[in-house]
Amino acid sequence: IELGYAYVPVGDDILGFVDVPGHERFVHTMLAGATGIDFALLVIAADDGVMPQTDEHLDILLLLGIDSGAIALTKTDAVSPERVDEVLLQLADRVRNTAAANWPVFAVSSLSGDGIDELQAHLLDAAASHAARTSAGHFRMAIDRCFTLAGVGTVVTGTVHAGEIHVGESVRVGPTAHGALTARVRTIHAQDRVSTVGVAGQRCALNLAGIEKAQIERGMWVQAPSLANVTERFDATLTLSPSVAKSIGNSSTVHLHHGTDDAMAKVAVLDATRIDPGESQLVSLTLDRPLAVCRGDRFVIRDASAQRTLGGGTVLDVMPLGSAARRGRRAPARLQLLAALRDGSPVDALRAWLDREPVALSRITSGWNLRDEELRELIVASGAHVAANVAISAEHWQRLRSEAVAEIAHAHEKEPEMPGVEQQRLRRMIAPALDIDVFGSLIDELLEQSSLQRRGAFLALPTHTATLGKDQRVRWERIKPLLDDRKFDPPRVRDIARDTGIPEVEVRHLLKTVARTGDVAQVAHDHFFLTTAVAELADIAGNVAERHGAARAAEFGD
């Protein structure tokens, strides 16, 4: 009914066994125990033979990507040799055309000991030849048990999916309804031994400080604090078992098992209208509650009543959030990206992603579970450019640089009297969807390389000088002496219009145009000062402050 655990010392190493219930009513518990294991020992009683739950358990193992294993045919002492042969034929037929077709079958008897030595030798040989898991990525462990020990405190156990954990490090436990909980690892038992570290592939018991047993449930994850991978929606590839009776269409509701947790999910088929038995398709899965998910995670789906297994798949993209992503989830570019995430190497997948859009580094580190150094290596290998913690393809970056310079040059031709283009207006012109900080980094780079110059609130080419048109220059030459004669109290627009005979609306428009060239500054409505006069006023204020310790209004006025 519940999961069982056992350990066998093998030299300096220890093999860990997770014993899962075989009854069809406890498949959800079997799924919790099977997650994260490397090798399956499928146990079948000779008197019962291949049962419906045998079929389902084998399906689940293969859907979880567990393709290494062996088969133990037990109770051979309780049946005739003919029955043993009959069950062996059943097994051969069942595993045909699957990864389990290569699994050896051991006919054993626990009473007589027949076959036990051969089975043990095979398991030890398989363990010795099995490559140790890499400790890449941040620490992730799916919780399958939680209990309290007197004098010790809260203990959680599970199989470590990725990374490593050390005594004294902080972790986050979740998801919960109110976000993840924070705890500290007080002690570690790895493979049933006291240890200072737990690594991927091991069964670990973590003694957590700062958290109570009542706050923890099976299905939660113990993860590195930097991981932000909790989501209610992810895109994946989904394979329907050949043994199911009918296909799955859009909006089908299923029971989704991931890690040691399960949730209800709605299926949207992306690259077809349905998934037929034995087929694989790209899907989007919307959950009824959040799960902690990373790219590459395996999952299994069962029918809505959790009575039979339907299929399984692999997570591709963890957080395609927002209405825009939802609207475009069947767009050809999106499907090409998901195909690259499914079929390509991490470098190829990232290149395909960046060809479609800039990507926040946090989304890659959490969605793909990469440590900082792993992310840096991936970025370098992909040739991507990084700005404001966002990755963008080198080609896209160079295109934006060229477009920014070209757009400003075009603005100079169109509006020669303007000192340049405001930065946010430029962003709206060439890349309205680009993050403001990323665009700011782009402009900073162009400024640093002297491709652009900043003139107040404007960006301009270094060779550009704001100029007035011929008619504007003629009128400006008539107005400028009036401002110069009374530089600290210049006439207002209506007075200038009266003295020059130029219509008031034209004076106002002209002075606003001249303000863009930098020769005058508008300091109040219809009140313009020469820029040189403003500079003089600033000098006076500075001198007053130097003499009196502050630039007070009365002294400044005098």
Side-chain angles (χ1 to χ4, degrees):
I1 292 176
E2 283 299 331
L3 299 174
Y5 306 92
Y7 300 90
V8 177
V10 181
D12 293 333
D13 295 324
I14 294 182
L15 302 188
F17 289 80
V18 184
D19 181 27
V20 304
H23 197 281
E24 59 187 348
R25 289 172 55 190
F26 302 110
V27 170
H28 65 286
T29 305
M30 176 268 176
L31 277 158
T35 184
I37 66 173
D38 300 305
F39 186 98
L41 178 60
L42 187 64
V43 182
I44 299 167
D47 50 354
D48 290 331
V50 176
M51 302 285 284
Q53 56 265 38
T54 308
D55 285 335
E56 188 166 21
H57 281 218
L58 182 57
D59 268 350
I60 289 170
L61 291 171
L62 299 176
L63 291 167
L64 288 174
I66 303 167
D67 51 13
S68 297
I71 299 173
L73 183 60
T74 63
K75 296 189 186 178
T76 55
D77 57 277
V79 298
S80 65
E82 291 77 16
R83 174 59 180 169
V84 171
D85 292 338
E86 180 184 346
V87 176
L88 289 174
L89 289 174
Q90 287 181 347
L91 277 170
D93 182 63
R94 175 62 184 86
V95 300
R96 186 177 294 115
N97 299 323
T98 73
N102 297 319
W103 293 4
V105 180
F106 297 89
V108 301
S109 166
S110 298
L111 294 183
S112 68
D114 290 346
I116 296 294
D117 290 342
E118 291 83 353
L119 173 60
Q120 178 171 330
H122 177 75
L123 293 179
L124 295 179
D125 183 61
S129 60
H130 184 78
R133 285 201 202 178
T134 173
S135 59
H138 293 284
F139 179 76
R140 298 179 71 213
M141 186 184 88
I143 298 174
D144 53 32
R145 281 190 304 170
C146 177
F147 51 87
T148 302
L149 290 178
V152 175
T154 304
V155 177
V156 296
T157 71
T159 302
V160 181
H161 283 237
E164 58 184 47
I165 190 71
H166 297 260
V167 170
E169 290 185 337
S170 294
V171 292
R172 300 186 74 184
V173 180
T176 72
H178 305 291
L181 305 166
T182 301
R184 181 177 57 83
V185 178
R186 185 182 285 137
T187 61
I188 298 174
H189 273 66
Q191 299 295 86
D192 205 35
R193 288 180 177 176
V194 176
S195 177
T196 59
V197 60
V199 300
Q202 291 182 330
R203 282 208 53 80
C204 285
L206 307 180
N207 175 209
L208 300 180
I211 195 169
E212 301 297 328
K213 176 182 179 297
Q215 297 175 280
I216 302 173
E217 298 175 0
R218 174 193 285 174
M220 292 182 178
W221 289 77
V222 183
Q223 299 192 135
S226 56
L227 274 181
N229 61 332
V230 174
T231 183
E232 292 182 1
R233 180 172 168 256
F234 62 84
D235 290 351
T237 177
L238 177 62
T239 301
L240 203 59
S241 172
S243 60
V244 300
K246 59 182 182 178
S247 60
I248 286 181
N250 282 318
S251 300
S252 296
T253 299
V254 297
H255 219 87
L256 184 142
H257 294 262
H258 168 259
T260 56
D261 204 357
D262 60 275
M264 300 304 295
K266 187 161 286 188
V267 180
V269 185
L270 301 181
D271 54 348
T273 57
R274 54 197 286 157
I275 309 176
D276 291 324
E279 283 188 346
S280 296
Q281 300 290 356
L282 297 172
V283 298
S284 181
L285 291 157
T286 303
L287 310 170
D288 68 341
R289 61 187 184 81
L291 297 178
V293 180
C294 283
R295 178 185 177 222
D297 285 359
R298 304 296 289 248
F299 62 90
V300 169
I301 62 168
R302 308 186 78 212
D303 66 336
S305 58
Q307 295 299 307
R308 66 185 188 280
T309 299
L310 302 178
T314 305
V315 176
L316 299 179
D317 190 14
V318 175
M319 291 173 284
L321 303 177
S323 57
R326 191 177 293 271
R327 285 196 302 270
R329 61 188 179 184
R330 290 186 175 87
R334 176 66 183 168
L335 296 180
Q336 290 172 9
L337 169 59
L338 291 177
L341 291 170
R342 177 192 63 200
D343 303 328
S345 67
V347 172
D348 292 337
L350 181 58
R351 284 174 178 159
W353 199 356
L354 297 179
D355 284 343
R356 182 174 185 264
E357 61 189 0
V359 182
L361 297 184
S362 59
R363 188 168 171 192
I364 305 173
T365 53
S366 288
W368 293 17
N369 189 19
L370 299 176
R371 297 198 300 265
D372 290 345
E373 60 271 22
E374 295 162 353
L375 175 63
R376 282 194 295 270
E377 291 174 3
L378 179 62
I379 292 294
V380 170
S382 69
H385 184 89
V386 175
N389 292 318
V390 172
I392 185 169
S393 74
E395 295 80 6
H396 190 185
W397 186 256
Q398 290 303 320
R399 187 168 64 251
L400 287 173
R401 283 172 49 96
S402 300
E403 289 176 356
V405 173
E407 197 63 50
I408 290 176
H410 178 67
H412 289 337
E413 292 178 9
K414 187 178 178 182
E415 301 173 307
E417 77 282 359
M418 291 289 290
V421 180
E422 291 174 306
Q423 183 165 318
Q424 293 313 315
R425 179 182 169 219
L426 181 64
R427 185 178 73 90
R428 291 193 295 271
M429 292 162 70
I430 67 170
L434 191 65
D435 179 84
I436 290 177
D437 291 336
V438 175
F439 190 75
S441 295
L442 178 82
I443 297 303
D444 289 344
E445 184 177 291
L446 291 170
L447 292 170
E448 184 179 337
Q449 297 172 357
S450 299
S451 299
L452 297 178
Q453 282 186 354
R454 191 182 296 281
R455 295 172 182 169
F458 298 93
L459 297 168
L461 300 182
T463 56
H464 174 69
T465 302
T467 59
L468 299 175
K470 183 178 179 181
D471 291 342
Q472 292 174 319
R473 285 199 306 272
V474 171
R475 289 196 296 272
W476 171 234
E477 290 302 326
R478 294 173 58 190
I479 294 172
K480 184 179 179 182
L482 300 178
L483 301 181
D484 205 14
D485 288 344
R486 296 164 51 190
K487 59 183 179 181
F488 294 156
D489 185 22
R492 294 180 179 269
V493 169
R494 63 177 179 273
D495 301 323
I496 296 172
R498 184 192 63 233
D499 293 343
T500 61
I502 302 172
E504 183 177 334
V505 65
E506 291 185 19
V507 173
R508 182 178 298 108
H509 177 72
L510 176 62
L511 287 174
K512 288 186 175 181
T513 300
V514 175
R516 293 173 189 151
T517 69
D519 287 339
V520 298
Q522 184 177 9
V523 301
H525 180 66
D526 279 0
H527 207 185
F528 294 81
F529 284 58
L530 289 173
T531 306
T532 53
V534 175
E536 282 191 59
L537 288 167
D539 288 339
I540 293 169
N543 291 333
V544 170
E546 197 172 311
R547 290 197 306 270
H548 301 283
R552 296 181 177 85
E555 294 157 351
F556 178 72
D558 291 340

